[in-house]
């Protein structure tokens, strides 16, 4: 039993799922479901179809280079059964999977950070301009806690000294 | 799903190029032939200067079908074309080489590979 990768979307194909297409030059294409198979028959390029892993990796949406990817290689030679080896491998698979998914989600979070900051800035500006839609101007004037912090303007001392001789 | 009047490519170097199925060997009213079944076919197109000639009636075994082949482990395999290998009455192939991919189900027949 072997878990294949779908040729179109790169998801894992479990036994009993999907179709394998053998081309006349003996190249085998595995598909996870008929959606991928039909897209292939339409001669669509997975690198241009937005929901595939190929597109996401190509356009930097998903993590491409990481040391955890090297653990998952296609091994054609079967290993002799060793209980310790099997046990350790199973433990390692779990751990590596967790590390890899954590790193992948961090990658996506970092990518989306700049957009979040931008959106918050825009939202603050919009609130300033449209505060009259949120609260009536009269209510704002009466209840100072609802106001946005006032902008302070410094008045220079020289002006007041000039006024004093005028009043006398 | 090969039935009479189906054109098949020939996947060996026996001298035929294209066959047309005439009959499916098996039961009397058997409708379709799948991978591994023997058919009676007539040669529609042949390579010149070979022992096989056009409009000769021969037997062939099907090696590739466009219809999917279902395996017991749940694997479904589909090919790009319908192809057959020319065979004699005993079941030995007439050609010496086979071209293209062949399903594992044909391993019990002694095709040279």
């Amino acid at each position: 039993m072997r878990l294949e990768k779908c040729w179109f979307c790169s998801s894992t194909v479990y036994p009993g799922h999907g179709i394998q297409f053998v081309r006349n030059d003996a190249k085998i294409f595995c598909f996870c479901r008929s959606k991928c198979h039909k897209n292939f028959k339409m001669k669509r390029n997975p690198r241009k179809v937005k929901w595939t892993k190929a597109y996401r990796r190509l356009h930097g949406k998903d993590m491409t280079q990481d040391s955890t990817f090297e653990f998952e290689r296609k091994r054609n030679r079967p290993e002799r059964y060793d209980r310790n080896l099997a046990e350790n491998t199973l433990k390692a698979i779990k751990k590596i999977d967790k590390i890899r998914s954590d790193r992948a989600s961090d990658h996506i979070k970092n990518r989306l950070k700049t957009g979040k900051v931008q959106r918050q800035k825009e939202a603050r500006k919009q609130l300033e301009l449209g505060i009259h839609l949120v609260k009536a101007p009269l209510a704002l004037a009466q209840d100072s806690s609802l106001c946005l912090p006032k902008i302070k303007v410094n008045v220079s001392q020289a002006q007041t000294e000039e006024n004093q001789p005028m009043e006398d | 799903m090969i039935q009479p009047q189906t054109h098949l490519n020939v996947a060996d170097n026996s001298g035929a190029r294209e066959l047309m199925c005439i009959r499916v060997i098996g039961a009397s009213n058997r409708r379709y032939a799948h991978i591994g079944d023997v058919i009676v076919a007539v040669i529609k197109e042949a390579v010149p200067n070979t022992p096989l000639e056009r409009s000769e009636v021969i037997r062939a075994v099907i090696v590739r079908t466009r219809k999917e082949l279902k395996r017991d482990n749940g694997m479904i395999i589909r090919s790009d074309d319908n192809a057959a290998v020319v065979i004699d009455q005993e079941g030995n192939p007439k050609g010496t080489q086979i071209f293209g991919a062949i399903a594992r189900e044909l391993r019990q027949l002694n095709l040279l590979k």
Side-chain angles (χ1 to χ4, degrees), chain A residues 4 15-24 26 37 41, chain B residues 9 64 68 73-81 100-101:
Chain A
E4 307 279 355
H17 288 261
I19 289 187
Q20 283 193 1
F21 171 63
V22 182
R23 207 163 56 180
N24 277 347
H37 189 42
K41 283 198 274 192
Chain B
N9 293 332
R64 286 198 294 275
E68 306 89 32
N73 58 359
M75 206 185 280
I76 298 183
I77 298 177
R78 186 204 294 242
S79 222
D80 206 11
D81 66 342

Side-chain angles (χ1 to χ4, degrees), chain A residues 81-121:
Chain A
Y81 178 74
D82 179 23
R83 197 203 165 96
N84 283 331
L85 180 69
E87 199 180 319
N88 291 336
T89 308
L90 284 170
K91 284 189 198 158
I93 286 175
K94 239 185 175 174
K95 186 134 199 191
I96 292 168
D97 211 53
K98 184 170 182 311
I99 294 174
R100 187 178 40 111
S101 50
D102 283 344
R103 285 188 193 172
S105 57
D106 283 342
H107 178 270
I108 293 175
K109 221 185 279 179
N110 285 335
R111 188 169 57 86
L112 298 174
K113 222 188 265 182
T114 51
K116 193 171 178 186
V117 168
Q118 182 83 357
R119 276 199 297 272
Q120 276 181 349
K121 235 199 276 184

Side-chain angles (χ1 to χ4, degrees), chain B residues 44-100:
Chain B
K44 283 291 193 183
E45 198 184 312
V47 174
N49 305 327
T50 45
L52 291 179
E53 275 178 4
R54 186 174 155 5
S55 67
E56 218 179 287
V57 175
I58 41 104
R59 289 201 171 200
V61 69
I62 294 171
V63 296
R64 286 198 294 275
T65 48
R66 270 218 195 94
K67 179 71 183 160
E68 306 89 32
L69 167 74
K70 287 196 209 181
R71 290 230 177 108
D72 289 339
N73 58 359
M75 206 185 280
I76 298 183
I77 298 177
R78 186 204 294 242
S79 222
D80 206 11
D81 66 342
N82 301 313
V85 161
V86 177
I87 245 178
D88 64 4
Q89 283 292 93
E90 281 87 54
N92 300 319
K94 275 247 177 88
T96 50
Q97 278 180 343
I98 295 185
F99 308 121

